[in-house]
Amino acid sequence: MLRFTALTTAQNRKPVAVPENGKRSELFAQNVFNEEAMRQLMTRDAFAAVMNAIHNGTKIDRRVADQVATAMRDWAISKGATHYTHWFQPLTGGTAEKHDAFFEPVTRDRAIERFGGGQLVQQESDASSFPNGGIRNTFEARGYTAWDPSSPPFVYGTVLCIPTIFIAYTGEALDNKTPLLKALSALDQAATEVARYFDKNVSKVTTTLGCEQEYFLIDKALANTRPDLMITGRTLLGHQAAKGQQLDDHYLGAIPSRVLAFMRDLEQECLLLGIPVKTRHNEVAPNQFELAPIFEEANLAVDQNSLLMDVMRKVAERHDFVILFHEKPFAGVNGSGKHNNWSLVTDTGVNLLAPSKTPIKNLQFLTFFICTIKAVYEYEPLLRASVASATNDYRLGANEAPPAIVSVFIGEQLTQVLDALEVSSDNLSPEEKTELKLNVVGKIPDLFLDTTDRNRTSPFAFTGNKFEFRAVGSKANCGKPTMVLSTIVAQQLTEFKKAVDALIEGGKKKEDAIFKVLRRYIKESKKIRFEGDGYSKEWEEEAARRGLSNHKTTPEALKENISEKAVALFESTGVLSKVELLARYEIGLEEYVKTVQIESRVLGDIARNHVVPTAVRYQNTLIENVKGLKEIFGDSYQEVAAEQLELIRHISEHIKVIHSQVEAMVEARKHANHLPDFEAKANAYCNKVKPFFEIIRYHCDKLELMVDDELWTLTKYRELLFN
Ligand code: ADP
Ligand code: MG
């Protein structure tokens, strides 16, 4: 049987040898056309033009583009590239690429390697096979990809990959990068203005992002025996192993040798690509691991995380593993997330979310800190929506993961600071002001040193010098949540600036004006702050009393993206238009439907083609046995065969339920498929199709426990997780 052959294969595997190809620091960014490479290979003019485009968003003219392209081509060919591609991030997740050769025949017997400015800067791409949420119907099917100079090109394998945006001919964004760049730019503008209250030398604020990536590694031979894992990325059934993660013996334990070889291989690949991977360790669940890079400018960090996932898949293959990015591949053990660590840094090198030594700098810290909290409070449903997906629905709100309720954790010390500020008065005497500055605002770094409290149950936690958004799914493109977070903070900072300026015009001193607005924000956003156990039932009830949203499913969550408030936000910040929002809404729901539909089909197939036939085979063995007993014992066989008879009956009962429930699920699917409108369809899949999964699974898992292990065809949890 496939299962046993696979188990033998898995058990006999040895770690793949991974040579260290030189010092890690020397490998770093060797295959990236970064500033260093450009400086060396480009004319001074071309280099200056690209730097200007990167730092100030200026356009690169055609003549310069030709020079850049030539340098890039020669560099890429020297690294072994034969092809180039415009590399982009479509709305379906993942990355997309179409390879073109540099090679071009010029006469019948002569060819050259051609790559000009035109090919670098812009490419036409058939958009019709990518989801566009109705934009296709209204506009032309074609779209184009355009070079994003702020993310450096790299050679991966034999292909020069040029990070690009992907937009429709009419200008609507068809990808995740375009709105992200707009959001980052809006945030830069808004944050710079506010930072200049404190330091006139600031002229740019950059968003930083570090994405901790969790994943599972499963032996390839074993994974191949599970159609559900291979097709949907998760196990749709399977009885929990007697041992799961109860003993906590996996977390930060010794890394298994095959996995260590994978990690070392992966790290070298990543370093060549300029991905600054730093940390590796076991995670909580068996066979679950984590990788964290050093943070980067957010756009680059998002590109690198997308690339990383791709590299991880390929390296896993070399080590005979299947890598699972699904948020909940196994019931009963932890799922995987992708913690997004987010902060802001000025071009003068100051982390705006790091408390500092002087009261005035701490007022700056408090300003950005409080404005972020206020933004999260105002737009919490949008943050929730930014991490919504069919796959993440199995994690959010399930009991080990962050809940579907967004709340902010800031720790005891900062809570005390905000409480003290909140009750301070608008009209402080000079002594009181000094007291506030020195003893409340000025004391933050001292207090901070003692902070050990880190609430792991909070979806949005302040962790010392950054916020950590933990509800992001392990499979997600981090561009989405980063775009939303950056947009809402941009909006909040703009409002903050307006309010403070108005007070200053009214005659208040700058500092007093800032305190006054912050005081109001602290009061207004208090409901979003929660320091307790985010997984508890009490919090769910309390959050409902506070009026916080708690959307447990993707269709519910996504609807928030087209609310009046959302449209006003995205339009006023210039990040997304209403047309784009509606298109994205439709695409999100379509993707949801497809995911649930596929799971439903696979589950139906496995239940009928694997589970039921195996159960019947075992039942037949039992029947034979009972018949034999009857022959031997005659009339008293019933007593001797009592257990067998009981089992035979139970097996029949489970089979019966499985059959009827699969039938009913197919009917529900048919009904849903016929619904004309995509919203109704998504709701039907969510509320009418998906509920069958648990019921069918329950009965299949019961059969797994009854049936002779020798007959069971599907690799079991204990085998998948402990090999
Ligand atoms: P944890 O305890 O969550 O593992 P770490 O200090 O190891 O915390 O940081 C986790 C991630 O946060 C890393 O990817 C790190 O690079 C990133 N990070 C640290 N500082 C910042 C920052 N200022 N902005 C964005 N990300 C950051
Ligand atoms: Mg973390």
Side-chain angles (χ1 to χ4, degrees):
M1 196 200 301
L2 190 56
R3 175 178 150 223
F4 294 115
T5 326
L7 277 168
T8 312
T9 308
Q11 272 147 12
N12 289 334
R13 286 205 215 271
K14 299 273 171 301
V16 175
V18 179
E20 286 284 333
N21 299 319
K23 255 203 222 144
R24 297 274 170 116
S25 57
E26 281 162 16
L27 296 183
F28 189 62
Q30 260 184 29
N31 291 346
V32 184
F33 194 61
N34 55 13
E35 207 172 307
E36 197 45 44
M38 285 191 231
R39 196 194 307 276
Q40 281 177 23
L41 299 168
M42 276 166 26
T43 62
R44 196 174 287 216
D45 278 0
F47 179 72
V50 176
M51 286 304 120
N52 209 9
I54 293 174
H55 298 300
N56 309 316
T58 52
K59 280 224 160 24
I60 291 175
D61 78 40
R62 185 51 200 270
R63 193 183 49 79
V64 175
D66 277 333
Q67 289 183 29
V68 178
T70 305
M72 203 185 283
R73 177 202 62 196
D74 292 346
W75 170 84
I77 289 173
S78 80
K79 297 284 173 192
T82 55
H83 286 65
Y84 65 93
T85 183
H86 275 200
W87 183 80
F88 62 99
Q89 296 160 40
L91 292 170
T92 37
T95 56
E97 46 198 85
K98 178 182 128 234
H99 300 174
D100 282 298
F102 289 123
F103 166 87
E104 204 174 288
V106 277
T107 65
R108 202 189 279 176
D109 43 26
R110 202 169 74 84
I112 56 165
E113 309 284 338
R114 190 195 294 281
F115 180 64
Q119 286 129 315
L120 164 65
V121 172
Q122 192 168 314
Q123 286 265 293
E124 237 177 61
S125 180
D126 182 6
S128 58
S129 48
F130 289 105
N132 53 30
I135 287 177
R136 173 176 51 219
N137 305 334
T138 341
F139 309 98
E140 253 194 301
R142 285 181 311 165
Y144 65 91
T145 51
W147 180 32
D148 163 24
S150 63
S151 181
F154 53 91
V155 169
Y156 184 31
T158 53
V159 183
L160 165 67
C161 299
I162 303 157
T164 59
I165 56 168
F166 180 36
I167 46 190
Y169 254 86
T170 39
E172 282 82 11
L174 297 174
D175 66 351
N176 283 311
K177 187 192 264 268
T178 309
L180 172 66
L181 289 173
K182 290 178 175 171
L184 294 175
S185 156
L187 181 52
D188 171 15
Q189 275 174 33
T192 300
E193 296 239 342
V194 172
R196 286 168 64 85
Y197 279 141
F198 307 96
D199 182 358
K200 285 280 176 237
N201 295 317
V202 174
S203 60
K204 186 175 169 67
V205 172
T206 302
T207 304
T208 52
L209 185 69
C211 318
E212 301 165 62
Q213 177 74 51
E214 292 180 338
Y215 59 97
F216 280 84
L217 284 177
I218 305 297
D219 183 87
K220 190 160 74 181
L222 296 178
N224 272 321
T225 64
R226 297 282 310 223
D228 47 354
L229 262 189
M230 296 314 286
I231 299 172
T232 70
R234 75 176 183 109
T235 53
L236 297 172
L237 43 81
H239 203 279
Q240 286 175 31
K243 175 175 182 273
Q245 61 191 42
Q246 305 93 321
L247 299 176
D248 270 332
D249 48 1
H250 187 67
Y251 187 58
L252 302 187
I255 300 172
S257 55
R258 276 182 67 203
V259 175
L260 191 59
F262 158 83
M263 288 174 170
R264 288 179 40 237
D265 200 356
L266 174 67
E267 283 165 0
Q268 296 191 56
E269 290 274 348
C270 285
L271 290 178
L272 287 172
L273 291 164
I275 306 174
V277 289
K278 174 103 172 137
T279 314
R280 60 184 186 203
H281 62 78
N282 289 1
E283 258 304 322
V284 175
N287 281 354
Q288 190 188 28
F289 307 93
E290 181 186 295
L291 179 152
I294 297 168
F295 68 95
E296 295 262 14
E297 184 278 318
N299 174 41
L300 183 58
V302 169
D303 280 359
Q304 291 192 338
N305 181 258
S306 298
L307 178 59
L308 171 72
M309 289 167 75
D310 206 41
V311 179
M312 287 173 97
R313 275 190 208 98
K314 291 195 175 133
V315 176
E317 175 86 34
R318 277 211 288 273
H319 292 257
D320 297 305
F321 284 123
V322 164
I323 190 159
L324 305 177
F325 290 119
H326 194 289
E327 284 80 359
K328 192 72 187 173
F330 302 97
V333 296
N334 276 9
S336 301
K338 177 144 57 192
H339 295 177
N340 276 20
N341 296 271
W342 177 95
S343 190
L344 298 168
V345 65
T346 64
D347 55 351
T348 53
V350 176
N351 178 350
L352 292 168
L353 288 172
S356 144
K357 290 236 176 320
T358 64
I360 180 71
K361 285 284 174 206
N362 268 343
L363 185 55
Q364 170 173 291
F365 156 71
L366 283 172
T367 297
F368 285 90
F369 178 67
I370 293 166
C371 281
T372 305
I373 297 172
K374 175 79 162 29
V376 174
Y377 172 65
E378 291 296 332
Y379 295 104
E380 48 89 1
L382 297 185
L383 273 183
R384 163 65 183 101
S386 77
V387 297
S389 70
T391 52
N392 209 14
D393 278 1
Y394 291 109
R395 173 171 163 264
L396 294 189
N399 67 23
E400 99 282 352
I405 307 159
V406 175
S407 63
V408 181
F409 168 86
I410 60 171
E412 205 181 309
Q413 280 88 351
L414 282 165
T415 301
Q416 281 166 11
V417 172
L418 295 203
D419 287 349
L421 275 179
E422 184 188 346
V423 298
S424 66
S425 136
D426 275 350
N427 304 307
L428 296 177
S429 67
E431 293 77 32
E432 285 167 325
K433 227 185 255 177
T434 312
E435 154 75 18
L436 182 72
K437 275 206 256 180
L438 287 182
N439 289 331
V440 178
V441 178
K443 281 274 165 70
I444 297 173
D446 298 343
L447 292 168
F448 227 72
L449 291 177
D450 312 328
T451 308
T452 45
D453 188 0
R454 282 202 176 183
N455 185 335
R456 308 303 298 180
T457 67
S458 174
F460 199 89
F462 185 71
T463 49
N465 56 3
K466 61 192 190 286
F467 278 100
E468 186 169 336
F469 189 21
R470 303 202 183 105
V472 185
S474 44
K475 205 169 154 227
N477 180 313
C478 314
K480 267 194 234 182
T482 309
M483 178 271 281
V484 171
L485 180 56
S486 304
T487 306
I488 65 179
V489 175
Q491 170 78 4
Q492 191 59 60
L493 288 169
T494 306
E495 271 170 33
F496 174 78
K497 176 85 174 28
K498 245 188 251 164
V500 171
D501 283 352
L503 289 174
I504 295 174
E505 257 165 54
K508 264 212 180 310
K509 276 170 62 187
K510 183 170 81 184
E511 215 165 88
D512 294 341
I514 291 172
F515 268 122
K516 189 175 162 80
V517 178
L518 290 181
R519 202 172 288 131
R520 171 159 67 82
Y521 283 5
I522 293 172
K523 284 199 188 81
E524 288 172 355
S525 61
K526 221 171 170 178
K527 284 187 182 150
I528 199 76
R529 276 160 46 200
F530 179 64
E531 302 283 305
D533 178 2
Y535 301 170
S536 67
K537 193 78 205 139
E538 295 75 48
W539 168 233
E540 215 174 327
E541 290 158 8
E542 167 65 14
R545 279 193 293 276
R546 295 188 189 183
L548 300 177
S549 76
N550 183 7
H551 298 312
K552 298 204 166 170
T553 66
T554 294
E556 253 180 81
L558 290 185
K559 194 153 183 137
E560 298 279 1
N561 281 337
I562 54 162
S563 71
E564 244 173 69
K565 191 172 174 180
V567 174
L569 165 80
F570 286 113
E571 293 213 312
S572 72
T573 45
V575 173
L576 284 165
S577 69
K578 189 167 180 182
V579 174
E580 289 172 319
L581 285 166
L582 289 171
R584 264 149 220 264
Y585 180 49
E586 188 177 330
I587 291 164
L589 290 184
E590 260 176 24
E591 194 185 342
Y592 177 82
V593 165
K594 281 186 196 148
T595 309
V596 180
Q597 189 177 51
I598 291 169
E599 288 197 343
S600 165
R601 285 184 183 149
V602 173
L603 178 60
D605 287 355
I606 296 182
R608 281 179 160 160
N609 303 337
H610 286 258
V611 175
V612 170
T614 307
V616 168
R617 199 171 306 146
Y618 181 55
Q619 197 184 35
N620 281 337
T621 315
L622 292 171
I623 291 170
E624 282 305 309
N625 175 263
V626 173
K627 278 187 190 158
L629 290 173
K630 193 172 174 185
E631 252 170 49
I632 298 170
F633 292 98
D635 283 349
S636 60
Y637 86 97
Q638 294 234 9
E639 200 186 315
V640 189
E643 275 74 31
Q644 288 90 322
L645 287 167
E646 181 89 353
L647 259 176
I648 291 169
R649 200 169 305 118
H650 278 314
I651 290 175
S652 284
E653 282 161 11
H654 288 301
I655 290 176
K656 196 169 150 203
V657 184
I658 292 171
H659 263 299
S660 68
Q661 294 299 305
V662 171
E663 275 307 310
M665 179 170 74
V666 172
E667 280 310 307
R669 234 160 50 208
K670 276 190 197 151
H671 177 76
N673 292 343
H674 283 111
L675 293 169
D677 132 52
F678 64 87
E679 211 171 54
K681 198 185 271 185
N683 284 325
Y685 264 96
C686 180
N687 303 316
K688 298 284 193 300
V689 177
K690 218 177 110 184
F692 285 107
F693 293 7
E694 274 305 301
I695 310 170
I696 295 169
R697 174 180 193 144
Y698 174 83
H699 292 278
C700 291
D701 289 356
K702 285 283 171 209
L703 285 175
E704 183 184 325
L705 285 186
M706 290 177 185
V707 170
D708 180 359
D709 185 62
E710 294 284 320
L711 295 178
W712 198 254
T713 58
L714 296 164
T715 303
K716 296 186 170 181
Y717 262 36
R718 65 160 190 272
E719 297 156 345
L720 290 168
L721 288 170
F722 294 96
N723 260 296

